[in-house]
Amino acid sequence: MRFLGGFIVGVALVCSLSATEVPDEWIGMPVTVRLTTGDKISGLLLGRVQRDTTDAIRVRTEIGTATIDLGQIAELRLLEDLYRHAWRLLLMPTAEPIGANSSAVSLELMTIGAAIGIGDIGSVLLLRSIVPGIPSSHQLSVINAKATLLRAQYQQLDGYLTVAVGGNLAWVNSPNRLQHVWAATTFTRVRSRLTLMTFYNLSDRDVYDVAAGTFGSVAMRYARNALGFGVGLDVQMPARDDLHVLAELWNSDLARPYQSMVVIGVRLANTALALDAGLAFASQVILPLAAVSWTPW
């Protein structure tokens, strides 16, 4: 409960493309092409060509160069924009901005919310629990905001790093307000992302009485001025571009190593929908985790 209350946390070119609609700045960059047949081709976009009277693009793949008529293309995306859910893990935010990937989200299937991108810098996540049988004043509310300040390509490796700072407010019952500031760095490679973060508890109490209607109440302890850290990993499976393995390690107070949590899970994702499932292990308690994110635009 301490972690949940304290820290919850590309434009597609579709159909009938013309050669002028393939941006010049994409030439020389990795792309993914989804054909009208449903097949996918990934590789380096070499440029636009004309074959007979048909506009086409050339893509260099691992097995050779493919020339694809634009009429055969259902969707063309930059490879780095194919995965639209990189802004979060299961519970942990990454340094990646939400950007054009604004989403409707639900955590544990007992919250509703929205993830909103503000340009390429600002990101806001809003969540509100909707647990049946619990009064409104006992529900959970979360506001998490971040600003992605830096994105830098590696000098000798494929990939880049991003740096973000953020803050959040969480109400675990209306009277119990928790607040944090945090910073994160995400290291992105071709099929993996590693996020390192640290956060500081600005709340003014050490003990919180958390009620849940007729289900009873518990005392939640979380030291004021506590400094914590998190490590998160997102790995795309080699044989399944739509399947990711997620792992997180949390510690809410460096002075108390036993206040740690390990999260493991999987994500099944396409360009519109992400379905997450996992387990959290903390203080001899195992909690199931589930989340869904819908990005229709």
Side-chain angles (χ1 to χ4, degrees):
M1 190 67 177
R2 174 171 56 251
F3 290 94
L4 181 60
F7 208 95
I8 301 286
V9 244
V11 178
L13 302 177
V14 182
C15 303
S16 61
L17 294 174
S18 69
T20 58
E21 290 176 314
V22 180
D24 289 335
E25 59 267 25
W26 287 17
I27 296 174
M29 300 185 68
V31 297
T32 291
V33 183
R34 181 168 60 86
L35 304 179
T36 55
T37 60
D39 295 327
K40 288 185 177 180
I41 299 173
S42 297
L44 200 68
L45 179 63
L46 299 179
R48 300 183 294 259
V49 296
Q50 202 161 24
R51 187 165 61 177
D52 297 329
T53 59
T54 303
D55 293 325
I57 60 172
R58 298 176 69 241
V59 178
R60 188 170 68 208
T61 71
E62 293 180 350
I63 59 174
T65 299
T67 301
I68 308 167
D69 294 342
L70 294 187
Q72 297 178 301
I73 298 175
E75 185 177 39
L76 173 65
R77 285 183 180 271
L78 290 175
L79 188 61
E80 66 181 45
D81 293 336
L82 184 65
Y83 183 45
R84 306 185 67 191
H85 316 282
W87 54 271
R88 66 178 180 90
L89 294 159
L90 276 164
L91 298 177
M92 184 182 296
T94 70
E96 289 286 308
I98 294 173
N101 303 316
S102 295
S103 309
V105 297
S106 177
L107 179 65
E108 293 291 50
L109 307 182
M110 292 187 294
T111 66
I112 57 173
I116 303 165
I118 305 170
D120 294 327
I121 297 176
S123 303
V124 179
L125 175 65
L126 308 171
L127 281 176
R128 171 73 172 178
S129 67
I130 49 171
V131 182
I134 295 181
S136 176
S137 61
H138 291 180
Q139 299 283 354
L140 169 71
S141 300
V142 176
I143 302 172
N144 189 66
K146 68 181 175 184
T148 300
L149 303 179
L150 174 68
R151 172 172 168 153
Q153 296 291 137
Y154 300 140
Q155 292 292 323
Q156 298 178 336
L157 297 172
D158 292 330
Y160 57 92
L161 67 85
T162 47
V163 177
V165 295
N168 63 47
L169 290 173
W171 289 266
V172 190
N173 299 166
S174 296
N176 299 330
R177 188 177 74 174
L178 296 165
Q179 49 194 339
H180 300 80
V181 291
W182 58 271
T185 300
T186 297
F187 302 88
T188 298
R189 293 296 309 278
V190 176
R191 303 184 72 90
S192 64
R193 288 173 174 82
L194 173 67
T195 297
L196 306 177
M197 72 178 309
T198 183
F199 54 94
Y200 183 72
N201 179 20
L202 297 173
S203 308
D204 58 2
R205 284 190 284 155
D206 295 324
V207 181
Y208 302 84
D209 184 31
V210 181
T214 58
F215 296 100
S217 63
V218 295
M220 182 181 75
R221 297 183 180 276
Y222 186 17
R224 73 187 81 182
N225 302 321
L227 179 66
F229 77 93
V231 180
L233 185 63
D234 180 339
V235 178
Q236 186 180 36
M237 292 291 93
R240 290 282 302 270
D241 287 345
D242 60 347
L243 185 63
H244 293 245
V245 173
L246 310 175
E248 301 175 28
L249 170 64
W250 290 87
N251 174 258
S252 63
D253 188 349
L254 290 175
R256 297 172 173 82
Y258 57 86
Q259 292 186 357
S260 297
M261 178 174 70
V262 174
V263 179
I264 57 173
V266 295
R267 170 174 294 159
L268 187 64
N270 57 28
T271 54
L273 192 66
L275 302 175
D276 301 348
L279 294 172
F281 303 86
S283 302
Q284 300 180 339
V285 175
I286 301 177
L287 300 174
L289 298 174
V292 59
S293 176
W294 181 45
T295 309
W297 303 281

